[in-house]
Amino acid sequence: MLRSFLIGLVAGQRGITPLAVLATATRRGEVAPELPLQKLMLNPVIAAGTAAFAAAEMAGDKMKTAPDRTVPIGLVVRSVTAAYAGAALAPRDKRWVGAGVAVVAAIGSAYPGLALRKWAMKRWGQTATGFIEEAIVFGSGLAITNPSLFTASAEAASAMRQTPAS
């Protein structure tokens, strides 16, 4: 359930990112395509589409006219994507619980995430804080859904440190 909770935190900040990182995880074999429509994520066009939508959301966030993440439609999108990704990351017999945990985390984190972003924007501006937030959210989403990306990197770095220089 931890991964379901964590992907909910990601969804609370960016509504489409959970689908993009889940598509990456599905294509890489990190998450089995067991949910309805999840096999579509194996298609490179669909996977690229989720990434494009996530990128568009991230770009739109930098606009002065971007709505707050807590507007009703934003919360609906976050709830739907959190539920889907949370269910995909939960144990098979606890998919509904994983979905619920992710939705609660998404809604619960959207408000403090917005408050923190507004505070940071006053100090460092919208664009700079947006890029930092995107890096944290996207990187976290990748780590949550694709843990071997990071464990393999850590193992490779450790092996390089242990290899004697010639």
Side-chain angles (χ1 to χ4, degrees):
M1 284 307 135
L2 178 61
R3 290 171 73 197
S4 296
F5 172 75
L6 294 173
I7 202 68
L9 296 178
V10 168
Q13 310 321 302
R14 292 291 171 272
I16 306 302
T17 298
L19 293 182
V21 296
L22 182 61
T24 300
T26 301
R27 286 190 45 79
R28 294 185 73 249
E30 296 258 3
V31 177
E34 296 174 351
L35 294 181
L37 304 177
Q38 192 179 358
K39 285 186 181 177
L40 289 174
M41 292 181 179
L42 294 171
N43 182 309
V45 174
I46 301 295
T50 63
F53 280 124
E57 179 185 27
M58 290 177 183
D61 178 63
K62 311 302 171 297
M63 298 172 60
K64 301 271 186 226
T65 58
D68 287 346
R69 64 193 74 185
T70 56
V71 298
I73 190 67
L75 293 176
V76 169
V77 168
R78 283 164 172 68
S79 296
V80 170
T81 61
Y84 191 83
L89 296 173
R92 176 179 257 169
D93 61 333
K94 296 187 181 188
R95 301 256 194 234
W96 286 104
V97 176
V101 165
V103 169
V104 169
I107 301 301
S109 69
Y111 290 92
L114 177 61
L116 181 60
R117 174 73 185 279
K118 284 183 174 184
W119 173 83
M121 283 172 45
K122 288 178 187 172
R123 186 162 183 179
W124 295 291
Q126 183 171 2
T127 303
T129 58
F131 281 119
I132 291 168
E133 184 179 30
E134 306 310 352
I136 292 168
V137 170
F138 189 71
S140 298
L142 276 177
I144 294 160
T145 57
N146 296 272
S148 72
L149 277 175
F150 297 89
T151 56
S153 296
E155 289 169 3
S158 176
M160 287 177 65
R161 283 191 299 269
Q162 293 174 2
T163 305
S166 15

